[in-house]
Amino acid sequence: MTEPVILADVVRSDFVEGHHRGSVVVTNPDGTVDWAAGIVDQPMFPRSSNKPMQALGMLRNGLPLTDKLLALAGASHSGEQFHVDGVRQILATAGLDETALQTPVAYPLDDDTRDAWVKAGHGKERIVMNCSGKHAAMLLTSTLNDWDLETYRTPDHPLQKEIRTAIEDAAGEKVSYVAIDGCGAPIFALTLSGLARSFGLFAAAATDTQEGQVAQAFRAYPEYASGSTRDEAELMRAVNGLFCKAGAEGVYAVGLADGTGIALKLEDGTPRARKVVMAATLQRLGITNDTIENHLHFDLTGGDNVVGAVRPHTPTFA
């Protein structure tokens, strides 16, 4: 296929008022493509869905984190207090404090947490930016290897070169482009198929491997890998062995315990259709439960009432 396809419909009061187009792919445990719709063999930026592979690159270079803090190192966290405490713990292990972070200043990602943060008299700060766990882990890895801390975000820094290698190894393909992500660190382009392969590899890896350690940290502590109220955490709790990570611009990737990988990207970058399309893909694979059923729609309101939903485009997932 040469262009994205319709993945979700926007239905209001039984009238289809629009669509979300994009691409989705399912890979087999051996990395081959099982099913795809849209463009899955051209470069795209996985955005924060790359974070588990970035964590792998750090583990390969001595990052000593496990369990909750390893999940936080690969997270796009909500800025809740336990996230902030965890970031400070990672930094303290490196002998640093939050002034070393080079994340942009931000408010917490979670709405209620943001409101409480502002009511407590805080403004935008680096430590509550959703990538601060990853940046703290980057600083710790650089400290342990005597790499420069001021330039840890630059693409030619030793840390970023090691992360690129880890991403290429997991995806089974070479990075085609390098850009700067929203947090200021490099982002490495893969095909959507390569992203799915990576997640299948991590999800099926033995827990005594570094890939398996990352996946197990996410599964055991999904609230550290995302947030207490996030749909990614709900999905990991609901499906045994499932490992997932969302990213900006409508990206979402899942790995299943048998090594199956799934990756999707919404062309318009919307987050609202992301969980809907993933739920439809899981159901196409014969995986369903109450959580997945709930993720099959994103409610649309009229006044105080639900009057429609974003829902899967049935012909695509038949």
Side-chain angles (χ1 to χ4, degrees):
M1 296 183 181
T2 58
E3 61 183 20
V5 300
I6 297 175
L7 297 179
D9 300 323
V10 183
V11 183
R12 182 179 296 275
S13 302
D14 297 321
F15 180 82
V16 178
E17 66 171 341
H19 305 285
H20 291 293
R21 290 173 168 81
S23 304
V24 58
V25 62
V26 177
T27 53
N28 295 306
D30 65 1
T32 58
V33 173
D34 174 62
W35 174 78
I39 304 170
V40 304
D41 59 354
Q42 299 298 314
M44 48 78 68
F45 289 123
R47 303 300 295 271
S48 285
S49 291
N50 257 349
K51 284 179 178 176
M53 287 79 81
Q54 290 173 312
L56 173 63
M58 291 186 272
L59 285 176
R60 287 180 173 184
N61 287 275
L63 183 69
L65 302 180
T66 60
D67 300 328
K68 296 176 181 179
L69 296 185
L70 180 56
L72 186 58
S76 298
H77 65 73
S78 293
E80 297 169 77
Q81 188 60 52
F82 65 88
H83 295 131
V84 174
D85 292 343
V87 173
R88 287 179 173 143
Q89 187 175 345
I90 296 171
L91 290 168
T93 303
L96 302 170
D97 61 27
E98 58 202 80
T99 61
L101 291 169
Q102 292 183 28
T103 48
V105 295
Y107 290 114
L109 201 61
D110 178 74
D111 289 345
D112 290 341
T113 302
R114 178 203 61 216
D115 292 347
W117 179 261
V118 172
K119 287 178 181 177
H122 298 288
K124 293 182 177 181
E125 295 186 23
R126 298 187 191 279
I127 197 163
V128 294
M129 194 267 171
N130 74 87
C131 298
S132 64
K134 178 183 78 174
H135 279 248
M138 287 180 171
L139 285 163
L140 175 54
T141 305
S142 295
T143 298
L144 295 172
N145 287 278
D146 294 322
W147 293 332
D148 184 67
L149 301 186
E150 293 298 320
T151 59
Y152 75 91
R153 298 186 309 171
T154 59
D156 61 352
H157 190 279
L159 171 67
Q160 302 302 337
K161 290 180 179 179
E162 293 289 338
I163 285 173
R164 176 174 179 161
T165 297
I167 289 172
E168 292 177 337
D169 289 347
E173 64 185 45
K174 292 295 184 182
V175 165
S176 50
Y177 295 94
V178 181
I180 303 302
D181 209 345
C183 67
I187 186 66
F188 303 98
L190 299 171
T191 65
L192 205 61
S193 298
L195 179 61
R197 277 195 297 272
S198 300
F199 273 72
L201 173 71
F202 274 61
T207 54
D208 60 353
T209 66
Q210 291 172 330
E211 293 87 350
Q213 289 166 19
V214 174
Q216 185 55 28
F218 271 57
R219 290 185 290 233
Y221 303 99
E223 68 281 3
Y224 276 81
S226 55
S228 298
T229 63
R230 298 264 286 280
D231 60 276
E232 301 121 286
E234 290 176 349
L235 190 59
M236 283 188 277
R237 293 189 189 107
V239 181
N240 187 42
L242 183 146
F243 153 67
C244 69
K245 181 73 187 72
E249 294 299 320
V251 178
Y252 200 9
V254 157
L256 302 177
D258 68 352
T260 298
I262 307 169
L264 66 88
K265 176 174 170 55
L266 281 302
E267 186 69 8
D268 58 10
T270 182
R272 71 178 182 177
R274 175 177 53 74
K275 71 175 183 179
V276 173
V277 175
M278 184 57 74
T281 306
L282 289 167
Q283 284 201 336
R284 191 181 186 279
L285 293 173
I287 302 168
T288 194
N289 55 40
D290 289 345
T291 296
I292 292 172
E293 288 284 346
N294 288 335
H295 286 190
L296 280 172
H297 60 89
F298 178 94
D299 289 340
L300 303 176
T301 57
D304 294 328
N305 300 313
V306 175
V307 298
V310 178
R311 65 190 189 195
H313 185 65
T314 303
T316 301
F317 297 97

